[in-house]
Amino acid sequence: MATPRHRVSVAVAQMRDLAGSVTDASVWSMDAAETTATLVAITRLKAQVAELEARVAEHADDETVDAWAHRTRQTKPVVLGQVRLGQALVTRGHVRDALAAGDLVVEQARVIVAALDQLPGDLDTALVGRAERHLVAAGREHTAPTLRILGKRLMDVVAPDLADEYEAKQLAREEADAMLATRLEMWDDGHGKCHGRFTVPSFHGAALKKMLLAIAAPKRQERPEPGVPLRPGPERRGRAFCELLERYPAHQLPQTGGVSATIVVTMTLDSLLGKLEQAALLDTGEKITASQARRLACEAGIIPAVLGGNSEVLDLGRTRRFHTKSQRTAIAIRDQHCTEPGCDWPPAMCHAHHDIPWSRGGPTDVEHGRLLCPKHHARFHRRN
C-alpha cells in the first residue's frame, strides 16, 4: 500500500497502528465500571469509524467499490449498503454529525434516514430539518426499534395540522405494498413434515396471532400434555395452527373445480376400522398413518375414500349434464392432475371433461371423464 497522504488516510493508518498496539493486552484487571465504560467508548468509536467509512464510500466509483469488496472479502450488498449510507448522509447533516460524534450507532442512523425519506416530497425543507433534529435528539435516549415507531409519527411533531392526512396516505400506501408483497410458500420434506414461510399484511398477521393464541391459551387446556409448556410459545402456536386447519368448517370453504377444498384420504376399509395399520394416501400425494386418518375422520373435514366400502352412485349416464361432487372426487383421486401429457395442474384447478362430448351423446360418469386444466380443456374443444 502506498504511503498515505490525505489527512483521512493518515488518521486511519494511525488508528490501526494504535489498535494493533493493544492486541496482546490482557483485560482481566478491569473492574466492572471500567469494563462498562470501555465498551461504551468502543461503541462510540465504532460509530465514528462507520461514519468515516460511509463518507469515503460515498466518494468511491464502481471500480473502487469492486476492489474494496474483493480485497476485504465482503459481499457486494454489504459494501453497497455502506455506499448508500454515505450518499444519504450527504443531505442529512445532523445525522452525519451525530454519528461522527459517536452519539448515534449505525442502526439508528439508518432508521432515521429511512423515516426522513418517507416524508412527503413537497414538505418544506425547514420542517424536514426540524424532523431530522427531533429524531437525532430522540436517538440519544431510544433504540432503533423505538426510533422506527417515532419516525412513523414525525408529522405530529413537524406539521400537526397535516399529520392525520399524511398518516392516512401512509397507511394506504403500506397496505397496498403489503398486498403486493403477500406470499406463502410451502414444501414437504418427504419425512412427515411440511415447512413454509409467508408474508401477509399486518392486519391478517394480527388476526392469525389472535386465533392461535385463543386456541393455545393455557386456560383452554384442561389437561396440558406432559412436556408441553403452558406459555404459548412456538410449539404451542404450531399445534394451535394445526388445530385451526383441522377444525375450519369445510362447508365455508370455496368451491374449487366443483368440489370444496377438502382433503380426500384413500385407505382400505380394514385400516379405517383399525384392523390393519396400513398407510393412508392423501389426494395431494402425501401419506399419513392409519391412526392419524382415523382421528381426522372423527374430528376434521375430510372425505374418506374407502376402498372396498359402500360408495355413492358415480355413474349417472345421461341424467346429468355436469359431474357431481362425488364423481369429481373420484376422478381427482384417479387422475391426480391434468391428464394432458406434461401438465401437472392439481385437481382443484382442473375441469371435469367428457371424453365423449355431452353434445354428442357422451355420458356423465367417472369412466368417461377426466381432468383437464382450463387451457387444455379449451384447446380440446377448439380442436373438436
CSV table of all heavy atoms in Angstrom, one decimal, residues 26-78:
chain,number,residue,atom,x,y,z
A,26,SER,N,-3.9,-7.9,28.1
A,26,SER,CA,-4.9,-8.6,28.9
A,26,SER,C,-5.9,-7.6,29.5
A,26,SER,O,-5.5,-6.5,29.9
A,26,SER,CB,-4.3,-9.4,30.0
A,26,SER,OG,-5.2,-10.0,30.8
A,27,VAL,N,-7.2,-8.0,29.7
A,27,VAL,CA,-8.2,-7.1,30.3
A,27,VAL,C,-8.7,-7.6,31.6
A,27,VAL,O,-9.7,-7.1,32.1
A,27,VAL,CB,-9.4,-6.8,29.3
A,27,VAL,CG1,-8.9,-6.1,28.0
A,27,VAL,CG2,-10.0,-8.1,28.9
A,28,TRP,N,-8.1,-8.7,32.1
A,28,TRP,CA,-8.7,-9.3,33.3
A,28,TRP,C,-8.7,-8.4,34.5
A,28,TRP,O,-9.5,-8.5,35.4
A,28,TRP,CB,-7.9,-10.6,33.6
A,28,TRP,CG,-6.4,-10.3,34.0
A,28,TRP,CD1,-5.3,-10.3,33.2
A,28,TRP,CD2,-5.9,-10.0,35.4
A,28,TRP,NE1,-4.2,-10.0,33.9
A,28,TRP,CE2,-4.5,-9.8,35.2
A,28,TRP,CE3,-6.5,-9.8,36.6
A,28,TRP,CZ2,-3.7,-9.5,36.3
A,28,TRP,CZ3,-5.7,-9.5,37.7
A,28,TRP,CH2,-4.4,-9.3,37.6
A,29,SER,N,-7.8,-7.4,34.5
A,29,SER,CA,-7.7,-6.5,35.7
A,29,SER,C,-8.7,-5.4,35.7
A,29,SER,O,-8.8,-4.6,36.6
A,29,SER,CB,-6.3,-5.9,35.7
A,29,SER,OG,-6.0,-5.1,34.6
A,30,MET,N,-9.5,-5.2,34.6
A,30,MET,CA,-10.6,-4.2,34.6
A,30,MET,C,-11.7,-4.6,35.5
A,30,MET,O,-12.2,-5.7,35.6
A,30,MET,CB,-11.2,-4.1,33.1
A,30,MET,CG,-10.4,-3.4,32.1
A,30,MET,SD,-11.4,-3.2,30.6
A,30,MET,CE,-10.2,-2.3,29.6
A,31,ASP,N,-12.1,-3.6,36.3
A,31,ASP,CA,-13.3,-3.8,37.2
A,31,ASP,C,-14.6,-3.6,36.3
A,31,ASP,O,-14.5,-3.2,35.2
A,31,ASP,CB,-13.3,-3.0,38.4
A,31,ASP,CG,-13.3,-1.5,38.1
A,31,ASP,OD1,-13.7,-1.1,37.0
A,31,ASP,OD2,-12.8,-0.7,38.9
A,32,ALA,N,-15.7,-3.9,36.9
A,32,ALA,CA,-17.0,-3.8,36.2
A,32,ALA,C,-17.2,-2.4,35.6
A,32,ALA,O,-17.7,-2.2,34.5
A,32,ALA,CB,-18.2,-4.2,37.1
A,33,ALA,N,-16.9,-1.4,36.4
A,33,ALA,CA,-17.2,0.0,36.0
A,33,ALA,C,-16.3,0.4,34.8
A,33,ALA,O,-16.8,1.0,33.8
A,33,ALA,CB,-17.0,1.0,37.1
A,34,GLU,N,-15.1,0.0,34.8
A,34,GLU,CA,-14.2,0.3,33.7
A,34,GLU,C,-14.5,-0.5,32.5
A,34,GLU,O,-14.4,0.0,31.4
A,34,GLU,CB,-12.7,0.1,34.1
A,34,GLU,CG,-11.7,0.6,33.1
A,34,GLU,CD,-10.3,0.5,33.5
A,34,GLU,OE1,-10.0,-0.1,34.6
A,34,GLU,OE2,-9.4,1.0,32.8
A,35,THR,N,-14.9,-1.7,32.7
A,35,THR,CA,-15.3,-2.6,31.5
A,35,THR,C,-16.5,-1.9,30.8
A,35,THR,O,-16.5,-1.8,29.6
A,35,THR,CB,-15.7,-4.0,32.0
A,35,THR,OG1,-14.5,-4.6,32.6
A,35,THR,CG2,-16.1,-4.8,30.8
A,36,THR,N,-17.5,-1.5,31.6
A,36,THR,CA,-18.7,-0.9,31.0
A,36,THR,C,-18.3,0.4,30.3
A,36,THR,O,-18.7,0.6,29.1
A,36,THR,CB,-19.7,-0.5,32.1
A,36,THR,OG1,-20.1,-1.7,32.8
A,36,THR,CG2,-20.9,0.2,31.5
A,37,ALA,N,-17.5,1.2,30.9
A,37,ALA,CA,-17.1,2.5,30.3
A,37,ALA,C,-16.3,2.3,29.0
A,37,ALA,O,-16.5,3.0,28.0
A,37,ALA,CB,-16.2,3.3,31.3
A,38,THR,N,-15.4,1.2,29.0
A,38,THR,CA,-14.6,0.9,27.8
A,38,THR,C,-15.5,0.4,26.7
A,38,THR,O,-15.3,0.8,25.5
A,38,THR,CB,-13.6,-0.1,28.2
A,38,THR,OG1,-12.8,0.4,29.2
A,38,THR,CG2,-12.7,-0.4,27.0
A,39,LEU,N,-16.5,-0.4,27.0
A,39,LEU,CA,-17.4,-0.9,26.0
A,39,LEU,C,-18.2,0.2,25.4
A,39,LEU,O,-18.5,0.2,24.1
A,39,LEU,CB,-18.3,-2.0,26.5
A,39,LEU,CG,-17.7,-3.3,26.9
A,39,LEU,CD1,-18.6,-4.3,27.6
A,39,LEU,CD2,-17.2,-4.0,25.6
A,40,VAL,N,-18.7,1.1,26.2
A,40,VAL,CA,-19.4,2.3,25.7
A,40,VAL,C,-18.5,3.1,24.8
A,40,VAL,O,-18.9,3.5,23.7
A,40,VAL,CB,-19.9,3.2,26.9
A,40,VAL,CG1,-20.5,4.5,26.3
A,40,VAL,CG2,-21.0,2.4,27.6
A,41,ALA,N,-17.3,3.3,25.2
A,41,ALA,CA,-16.3,4.1,24.4
A,41,ALA,C,-16.0,3.4,23.0
A,41,ALA,O,-15.9,4.0,22.0
A,41,ALA,CB,-15.0,4.3,25.1
A,42,ILE,N,-15.9,2.1,23.1
A,42,ILE,CA,-15.7,1.3,21.8
A,42,ILE,C,-16.8,1.4,20.9
A,42,ILE,O,-16.7,1.6,19.7
A,42,ILE,CB,-15.4,-0.2,22.2
A,42,ILE,CG1,-14.0,-0.3,22.9
A,42,ILE,CG2,-15.4,-1.0,20.9
A,42,ILE,CD1,-13.7,-1.7,23.3
A,43,THR,N,-18.1,1.4,21.4
A,43,THR,CA,-19.3,1.5,20.6
A,43,THR,C,-19.3,2.9,19.9
A,43,THR,O,-19.6,3.0,18.8
A,43,THR,CB,-20.5,1.3,21.5
A,43,THR,OG1,-20.5,0.0,22.0
A,43,THR,CG2,-21.8,1.5,20.6
A,44,ARG,N,-19.0,3.9,20.7
A,44,ARG,CA,-19.0,5.3,20.1
A,44,ARG,C,-17.9,5.4,19.1
A,44,ARG,O,-18.0,6.0,18.0
A,44,ARG,CB,-18.7,6.3,21.2
A,44,ARG,CG,-19.9,6.4,22.2
A,44,ARG,CD,-19.6,7.3,23.4
A,44,ARG,NE,-19.4,8.6,23.0
A,44,ARG,CZ,-20.4,9.6,23.0
A,44,ARG,NH1,-21.6,9.2,23.4
A,44,ARG,NH2,-20.1,10.8,22.6
A,45,LEU,N,-16.7,4.7,19.3
A,45,LEU,CA,-15.6,4.7,18.3
A,45,LEU,C,-16.0,4.0,17.1
A,45,LEU,O,-15.8,4.5,15.9
A,45,LEU,CB,-14.4,4.1,18.9
A,45,LEU,CG,-13.2,3.9,18.0
A,45,LEU,CD1,-12.7,5.3,17.6
A,45,LEU,CD2,-12.1,3.1,18.7
A,46,LYS,N,-16.7,2.9,17.2
A,46,LYS,CA,-17.2,2.2,16.0
A,46,LYS,C,-18.2,3.1,15.2
A,46,LYS,O,-18.1,3.0,14.0
A,46,LYS,CB,-18.0,0.9,16.5
A,46,LYS,CG,-17.0,-0.2,16.9
A,46,LYS,CD,-17.8,-1.3,17.6
A,46,LYS,CE,-18.9,-1.9,16.7
A,46,LYS,NZ,-19.6,-3.0,17.4
A,47,ALA,N,-19.0,3.8,15.9
A,47,ALA,CA,-19.9,4.7,15.2
A,47,ALA,C,-19.1,5.8,14.4
A,47,ALA,O,-19.5,6.1,13.2
A,47,ALA,CB,-20.9,5.4,16.2
A,48,GLN,N,-18.1,6.3,15.0
A,48,GLN,CA,-17.3,7.3,14.4
A,48,GLN,C,-16.6,6.8,13.1
A,48,GLN,O,-16.5,7.4,12.1
A,48,GLN,CB,-16.3,7.9,15.4
A,48,GLN,CG,-16.9,8.7,16.5
A,48,GLN,CD,-15.9,9.2,17.5
A,48,GLN,OE1,-15.4,8.4,18.3
A,48,GLN,NE2,-15.5,10.5,17.4
A,49,VAL,N,-16.1,5.5,13.3
A,49,VAL,CA,-15.4,4.9,12.2
A,49,VAL,C,-16.4,4.6,11.1
A,49,VAL,O,-16.1,4.7,9.9
A,49,VAL,CB,-14.7,3.6,12.7
A,49,VAL,CG1,-14.1,2.8,11.5
A,49,VAL,CG2,-13.5,4.0,13.6
A,50,ALA,N,-17.6,4.2,11.5
A,50,ALA,CA,-18.6,3.9,10.5
A,50,ALA,C,-19.0,5.1,9.6
A,50,ALA,O,-19.2,5.0,8.4
A,50,ALA,CB,-19.9,3.3,11.1
A,51,GLU,N,-19.1,6.2,10.3
A,51,GLU,CA,-19.4,7.5,9.6
A,51,GLU,C,-18.3,7.8,8.6
A,51,GLU,O,-18.5,8.2,7.5
A,51,GLU,CB,-19.6,8.6,10.6
A,51,GLU,CG,-20.0,9.9,10.0
A,51,GLU,CD,-18.9,10.8,9.4
A,51,GLU,OE1,-17.8,10.7,9.9
A,51,GLU,OE2,-19.1,11.5,8.4
A,52,LEU,N,-17.0,7.6,9.1
A,52,LEU,CA,-15.9,7.9,8.2
A,52,LEU,C,-15.9,7.0,7.0
A,52,LEU,O,-15.6,7.4,5.9
A,52,LEU,CB,-14.6,7.8,9.0
A,52,LEU,CG,-13.3,8.1,8.3
A,52,LEU,CD1,-13.3,9.5,7.8
A,52,LEU,CD2,-12.1,7.8,9.3
A,53,GLU,N,-16.2,5.7,7.3
A,53,GLU,CA,-16.2,4.7,6.2
A,53,GLU,C,-17.3,5.1,5.2
A,53,GLU,O,-17.1,5.0,4.0
A,53,GLU,CB,-16.5,3.3,6.8
A,53,GLU,CG,-16.6,2.2,5.7
A,53,GLU,CD,-17.0,0.9,6.3
A,53,GLU,OE1,-17.9,0.9,7.2
A,53,GLU,OE2,-16.4,-0.1,5.9
A,54,ALA,N,-18.5,5.5,5.7
A,54,ALA,CA,-19.6,5.8,4.8
A,54,ALA,C,-19.2,7.1,4.0
A,54,ALA,O,-19.6,7.2,2.8
A,54,ALA,CB,-20.9,6.1,5.6
A,55,ARG,N,-18.5,8.0,4.6
A,55,ARG,CA,-18.1,9.2,3.9
A,55,ARG,C,-17.2,8.9,2.8
A,55,ARG,O,-17.3,9.5,1.6
A,55,ARG,CB,-17.5,10.2,4.9
A,55,ARG,CG,-17.4,11.6,4.3
A,55,ARG,CD,-16.8,12.6,5.3
A,55,ARG,NE,-16.7,12.2,6.6
A,55,ARG,CZ,-15.7,12.6,7.5
A,55,ARG,NH1,-14.7,13.3,7.0
A,55,ARG,NH2,-15.7,12.2,8.7
A,56,VAL,N,-16.2,8.1,3.0
A,56,VAL,CA,-15.2,7.7,2.0
A,56,VAL,C,-15.9,6.8,0.9
A,56,VAL,O,-15.7,7.0,-0.3
A,56,VAL,CB,-14.0,6.9,2.6
A,56,VAL,CG1,-13.1,6.5,1.5
A,56,VAL,CG2,-13.3,7.8,3.6
A,57,ALA,N,-16.8,5.9,1.4
A,57,ALA,CA,-17.6,5.1,0.4
A,57,ALA,C,-18.4,5.9,-0.6
A,57,ALA,O,-18.5,5.5,-1.7
A,57,ALA,CB,-18.4,4.1,1.2
A,58,GLU,N,-19.0,7.0,-0.1
A,58,GLU,CA,-19.8,7.8,-1.0
A,58,GLU,C,-18.9,8.4,-2.1
A,58,GLU,O,-19.4,8.6,-3.2
A,58,GLU,CB,-20.4,8.9,-0.1
A,58,GLU,CG,-21.4,9.8,-0.9
A,58,GLU,CD,-20.8,10.9,-1.7
A,58,GLU,OE1,-19.7,11.4,-1.3
A,58,GLU,OE2,-21.3,11.3,-2.7
A,59,HIS,N,-17.6,8.5,-1.9
A,59,HIS,CA,-16.7,9.1,-2.8
A,59,HIS,C,-16.2,8.1,-3.9
A,59,HIS,O,-15.7,8.4,-4.9
A,59,HIS,CB,-15.5,9.7,-2.1
A,59,HIS,CG,-14.4,10.1,-2.9
A,59,HIS,ND1,-14.4,11.2,-3.8
A,59,HIS,CD2,-13.1,9.5,-3.1
A,59,HIS,CE1,-13.2,11.3,-4.4
A,59,HIS,NE2,-12.4,10.3,-4.0
A,60,ALA,N,-16.4,6.8,-3.5
A,60,ALA,CA,-15.9,5.7,-4.4
A,60,ALA,C,-16.7,5.5,-5.7
A,60,ALA,O,-17.9,5.6,-5.7
A,60,ALA,CB,-15.9,4.4,-3.6
A,61,ASP,N,-16.0,5.2,-6.7
A,61,ASP,CA,-16.6,4.9,-8.0
A,61,ASP,C,-16.8,3.3,-8.1
A,61,ASP,O,-16.5,2.6,-7.2
A,61,ASP,CB,-15.8,5.4,-9.2
A,61,ASP,CG,-14.4,4.8,-9.2
A,61,ASP,OD1,-14.1,3.8,-8.6
A,61,ASP,OD2,-13.5,5.4,-9.9
A,62,ASP,N,-17.4,2.9,-9.2
A,62,ASP,CA,-17.8,1.4,-9.3
A,62,ASP,C,-16.5,0.5,-9.2
A,62,ASP,O,-16.6,-0.5,-8.5
A,62,ASP,CB,-18.5,1.2,-10.6
A,62,ASP,CG,-19.9,1.8,-10.6
A,62,ASP,OD1,-20.4,2.1,-9.5
A,62,ASP,OD2,-20.5,2.0,-11.7
A,63,GLU,N,-15.5,0.9,-9.8
A,63,GLU,CA,-14.2,0.1,-9.8
A,63,GLU,C,-13.7,0.0,-8.4
A,63,GLU,O,-13.2,-1.0,-8.0
A,63,GLU,CB,-13.2,0.7,-10.8
A,63,GLU,CG,-11.9,-0.1,-10.9
A,63,GLU,CD,-11.0,0.5,-11.9
A,63,GLU,OE1,-11.4,1.4,-12.6
A,63,GLU,OE2,-9.8,0.0,-11.9
A,64,THR,N,-13.7,1.2,-7.7
A,64,THR,CA,-13.2,1.2,-6.3
A,64,THR,C,-14.1,0.3,-5.4
A,64,THR,O,-13.6,-0.4,-4.5
A,64,THR,CB,-13.2,2.6,-5.8
A,64,THR,OG1,-12.4,3.4,-6.6
A,64,THR,CG2,-12.7,2.7,-4.3
A,65,VAL,N,-15.4,0.3,-5.6
A,65,VAL,CA,-16.3,-0.5,-4.8
A,65,VAL,C,-16.0,-2.0,-5.0
A,65,VAL,O,-16.0,-2.8,-4.1
A,65,VAL,CB,-17.8,-0.2,-5.2
A,65,VAL,CG1,-18.7,-1.2,-4.6
A,65,VAL,CG2,-18.1,1.2,-4.6
A,66,ASP,N,-15.8,-2.4,-6.3
A,66,ASP,CA,-15.5,-3.8,-6.6
A,66,ASP,C,-14.2,-4.2,-5.9
A,66,ASP,O,-14.1,-5.3,-5.3
A,66,ASP,CB,-15.4,-4.0,-8.1
A,66,ASP,CG,-16.7,-3.9,-8.8
A,66,ASP,OD1,-17.7,-4.0,-8.1
A,66,ASP,OD2,-16.7,-3.6,-10.0
A,67,ALA,N,-13.1,-3.3,-6.0
A,67,ALA,CA,-11.8,-3.7,-5.4
A,67,ALA,C,-12.0,-3.7,-3.9
A,67,ALA,O,-11.4,-4.6,-3.2
A,67,ALA,CB,-10.8,-2.6,-5.8
A,68,TRP,N,-12.7,-2.8,-3.3
A,68,TRP,CA,-13.0,-2.8,-1.8
A,68,TRP,C,-13.6,-4.1,-1.4
A,68,TRP,O,-13.2,-4.7,-0.4
A,68,TRP,CB,-13.8,-1.6,-1.5
A,68,TRP,CG,-14.2,-1.5,-0.1
A,68,TRP,CD1,-13.6,-1.9,1.0
A,68,TRP,CD2,-15.4,-0.8,0.4
A,68,TRP,NE1,-14.3,-1.6,2.2
A,68,TRP,CE2,-15.4,-0.9,1.8
A,68,TRP,CE3,-16.4,-0.1,-0.2
A,68,TRP,CZ2,-16.4,-0.3,2.6
A,68,TRP,CZ3,-17.4,0.5,0.6
A,68,TRP,CH2,-17.4,0.4,2.0
A,69,ALA,N,-14.7,-4.5,-2.0
A,69,ALA,CA,-15.4,-5.8,-1.7
A,69,ALA,C,-14.4,-7.0,-1.8
A,69,ALA,O,-14.4,-7.8,-0.9
A,69,ALA,CB,-16.6,-5.9,-2.5
A,70,HIS,N,-13.7,-7.0,-2.9
A,70,HIS,CA,-12.8,-8.2,-3.2
A,70,HIS,C,-11.7,-8.2,-2.1
A,70,HIS,O,-11.4,-9.3,-1.6
A,70,HIS,CB,-12.2,-8.0,-4.6
A,70,HIS,CG,-11.2,-9.1,-4.9
A,70,HIS,ND1,-11.6,-10.4,-5.1
A,70,HIS,CD2,-9.9,-9.0,-5.1
A,70,HIS,CE1,-10.5,-11.1,-5.3
A,70,HIS,NE2,-9.4,-10.3,-5.3
A,71,ARG,N,-11.0,-7.1,-1.9
A,71,ARG,CA,-9.8,-7.2,-1.0
A,71,ARG,C,-10.2,-7.3,0.5
A,71,ARG,O,-9.4,-7.8,1.3
A,71,ARG,CB,-9.0,-5.9,-1.2
A,71,ARG,CG,-8.4,-5.8,-2.6
A,71,ARG,CD,-7.6,-4.6,-2.8
A,71,ARG,NE,-6.5,-4.4,-1.8
A,71,ARG,CZ,-5.6,-3.4,-1.8
A,71,ARG,NH1,-5.8,-2.4,-2.7
A,71,ARG,NH2,-4.7,-3.4,-1.0
A,72,THR,N,-11.4,-7.0,0.8
A,72,THR,CA,-11.8,-7.2,2.2
A,72,THR,C,-12.7,-8.4,2.4
A,72,THR,O,-13.2,-8.6,3.5
A,72,THR,CB,-12.6,-5.9,2.7
A,72,THR,OG1,-13.7,-5.6,1.9
A,72,THR,CG2,-11.6,-4.7,2.8
A,73,ARG,N,-13.0,-9.1,1.3
A,73,ARG,CA,-13.8,-10.3,1.3
A,73,ARG,C,-15.2,-10.1,1.9
A,73,ARG,O,-15.7,-10.9,2.7
A,73,ARG,CB,-13.1,-11.4,2.2
A,73,ARG,CG,-11.7,-11.9,1.5
A,73,ARG,CD,-10.9,-12.7,2.4
A,73,ARG,NE,-10.5,-12.0,3.6
A,73,ARG,CZ,-9.5,-11.1,3.7
A,73,ARG,NH1,-8.9,-10.8,2.6
A,73,ARG,NH2,-9.2,-10.5,4.8
A,74,GLN,N,-15.8,-9.0,1.5
A,74,GLN,CA,-17.1,-8.6,1.9
A,74,GLN,C,-18.0,-8.9,0.7
A,74,GLN,O,-17.6,-8.8,-0.5
A,74,GLN,CB,-17.3,-7.2,2.3
A,74,GLN,CG,-16.5,-6.8,3.5
A,74,GLN,CD,-16.8,-5.3,3.9
A,74,GLN,OE1,-17.7,-5.0,4.6
A,74,GLN,NE2,-15.9,-4.4,3.4
A,75,THR,N,-19.3,-9.2,1.0
A,75,THR,CA,-20.2,-9.3,-0.1
A,75,THR,C,-20.6,-8.0,-0.7
A,75,THR,O,-20.5,-6.9,-0.1
A,75,THR,CB,-21.5,-10.0,0.3
A,75,THR,OG1,-22.2,-9.2,1.3
A,75,THR,CG2,-21.2,-11.4,1.0
A,76,LYS,N,-21.0,-8.0,-2.0
A,76,LYS,CA,-21.3,-6.7,-2.7
A,76,LYS,C,-22.5,-6.0,-2.0
A,76,LYS,O,-22.4,-4.8,-1.9
A,76,LYS,CB,-21.6,-7.0,-4.1
A,76,LYS,CG,-21.6,-5.8,-5.0
A,76,LYS,CD,-20.2,-5.3,-5.2
A,76,LYS,CE,-20.2,-4.2,-6.3
A,76,LYS,NZ,-20.5,-4.7,-7.7
A,77,PRO,N,-23.5,-6.7,-1.6
A,77,PRO,CA,-24.6,-6.0,-0.9
A,77,PRO,C,-24.2,-5.2,0.3
A,77,PRO,O,-24.7,-4.1,0.6
A,77,PRO,CB,-25.6,-7.1,-0.6
A,77,PRO,CG,-25.4,-8.2,-1.6
A,77,PRO,CD,-23.9,-8.1,-1.8
A,78,VAL,N,-23.3,-5.8,1.1
A,78,VAL,CA,-22.8,-5.1,2.3
A,78,VAL,C,-22.1,-3.9,2.0
A,78,VAL,O,-22.3,-2.8,2.6
A,78,VAL,CB,-21.9,-6.1,3.2
A,78,VAL,CG1,-21.2,-5.3,4.3
A,78,VAL,CG2,-22.7,-7.2,3.7
